[in-house]
Amino acid sequence: MAGKPWRLKPALYTTTLVYIAVQVAFLSFLCSYYNYGIGNLTRWTLDRLDEYDYTRDKLQWMKEFWKDTKDNMKLPKRKATQDDVKTVEAEVNLGDEMQVFNAEQLALFDGSRASRPVYLAILGRVYNVDKGKKHYGKGGGYHFFAGRDATRAFVSGDFTEAGLVDNTDGLSHEDLLGIRDWVSFYEKDYKLVGVLVGRYYDANGMPTKELKDVFPPCNSEWHQNSGGRVWCSMKSGGIQRDWAGVPRLLYDPNTKQQRCACVKNFGTGLSSYGLKSNNRGDLDHPNLKQYPKCSPTANSCRLEND
């Protein structure tokens, strides 16, 4: 009947199912009788299908589709080296087009609404990633980043709800550089549209103490033969500031890990301990340790091979 969707008749439907079941049972019997594994049978079948242009093209399409699907499920690694990390000013000039978002407002730009662009945040900086909607929009491989600040996940690879957070506590020196590198990537490729109120920016859009970082990461390099070196500059860790500091090992009591940090070594410090110091900056912080065989006033320390 015209306009009526075609349907398989019940009797024919049942017959088809029975036929398929018989074929499966027969193939299983042959595999068992001749001790011919199902893997071998599958390979034989694929080889036969590959002999025909039509089926060969379809199989190739399926392989490429699956490869693209798997690739979209992975976050590409950005291997951060110190030279790759460009300095990004913490303070954002909030012009007419800039906005200070709260978490609820940012969540409205998660790609689930066709009328709104897709936004994401990293280190509290909100970027319009709508031109990458196929990746960040609904159904995209990176959709979990949309409408939130998931700074930690950019380097941890933990894309669960517990991992999609902005907290960077306990991350290694390399991870912190990796985050700075990701910020540089978004600065270059996407439009900054505002900041997110919370850990990194206050309600006025000004950077918090967390973003300014009391103990910025050191610059570092490593050579297999000569060992490594850590040093501090006014841009180390990708954080622009008016002091360089000296390298120290910073111990995190929560994670039981340590990393290299640049520590202010003069005037009033930035930490609660430094505020009480006598022109020693933050050098008296209890979680800091001097590098072995390195002058306490040196801004560069050699690391020997173990």
Side-chain angles (χ1 to χ4, degrees):
M1 185 180 295
K4 188 174 182 179
W6 180 86
R7 291 182 181 176
L8 198 63
K9 293 181 179 180
L12 185 57
Y13 183 78
T14 303
T15 303
T16 303
L17 287 178
V18 171
Y19 175 77
I20 292 173
V22 170
Q23 294 298 316
V24 170
F26 179 67
L27 288 173
S28 298
F29 167 76
L30 288 178
C31 289
S32 176
Y33 185 81
Y34 291 104
N35 195 26
Y36 198 69
I38 192 67
N40 293 329
L41 180 62
T42 302
R43 282 193 293 274
W44 180 87
T45 304
L46 291 174
D47 288 341
R48 300 291 76 75
L49 291 173
D50 199 47
E51 294 176 359
Y52 302 95
D53 291 340
Y54 176 79
T55 52
R56 183 168 57 249
D57 291 343
K58 291 299 180 184
L59 286 171
Q60 184 62 32
W61 177 84
M62 289 174 66
K63 290 177 183 177
E64 292 176 356
F65 176 79
W66 174 238
K67 182 179 182 299
D68 290 343
T69 301
K70 287 196 298 181
D71 290 344
N72 282 336
M73 292 170 66
K74 297 177 182 176
L75 181 67
K77 290 185 177 180
R78 296 180 58 80
K79 200 167 185 180
T81 63
Q82 192 59 39
D83 291 337
D84 293 331
V85 181
K86 300 177 179 63
T87 299
V88 178
E89 295 289 350
E91 192 166 326
V92 174
N93 182 18
L94 294 172
D96 295 336
E97 297 181 0
M98 293 285 188
Q99 183 177 345
V100 178
F101 296 85
N102 60 36
E104 291 75 21
Q105 290 170 330
L106 183 58
L108 297 175
F109 296 86
D110 65 351
S112 62
R113 298 165 178 80
S115 60
R116 294 179 183 270
V118 185
Y119 292 173
L120 65 74
I122 178 170
L123 285 183
R125 304 167 73 88
V126 181
Y127 295 92
N128 183 334
V129 295
D130 203 55
K131 71 177 184 179
K133 198 167 188 174
K134 68 176 182 178
H135 302 299
Y136 298 103
K138 191 174 182 180
Y142 309 145
H143 177 58
F144 41 74
F145 282 126
R148 67 169 92 199
D149 188 332
T151 296
R152 190 181 192 89
F154 279 92
V155 292
S156 72
D158 182 357
F159 305 135
T160 65
E161 284 301 311
L164 292 166
V165 294
D166 60 358
N167 186 359
T168 60
D169 290 348
L171 290 179
S172 68
H173 170 66
E174 184 178 4
D175 285 339
L176 293 174
L177 289 180
I179 289 173
R180 298 287 172 179
D181 189 36
W182 274 108
V183 173
S184 297
F185 165 75
Y186 284 106
E187 282 288 314
K188 179 182 176 183
D189 285 16
Y190 295 97
K191 183 180 179 181
L192 179 68
V193 293
V195 295
L196 177 65
V197 176
R199 184 180 298 274
Y200 301 110
Y201 289 91
D202 63 21
N204 296 315
M206 298 302 294
T208 64
K209 193 174 182 180
E210 181 94 15
L211 184 61
K212 291 179 178 178
D213 203 336
V214 174
F215 299 122
C218 308
N219 298 313
S220 64
E221 61 183 6
W222 183 265
H223 300 287
Q224 187 173 1
N225 296 327
S226 60
R229 180 171 75 99
V230 291
W231 74 99
C232 294
S233 68
M234 290 185 180
K235 294 183 180 180
S236 55
I239 302 172
Q240 180 74 53
R241 54 190 185 276
D242 57 4
W243 54 273
V246 293
R248 291 290 189 272
L249 282 168
L250 174 64
Y251 175 75
D252 187 331
N254 296 317
T255 63
K256 307 291 191 280
Q257 295 180 343
Q258 57 186 14
R259 66 172 176 88
C260 182
C262 290
V263 180
K264 189 177 181 185
N265 58 339
F266 66 92
T268 303
L270 302 174
S271 68
S272 56
Y273 291 91
L275 294 175
K276 305 172 186 176
S277 70
N278 183 19
N279 200 35
R280 284 178 51 81
D282 293 296
L283 291 176
D284 296 324
H285 194 287
N287 292 348
L288 294 172
K289 186 171 71 172
Q290 187 178 326
Y291 273 94
K293 300 180 182 179
C294 184
S295 168
T297 58
N299 65 0
S300 176
C301 295
R302 284 282 174 190
L303 307 177
E304 297 179 356
N305 280 323
D306 294 333

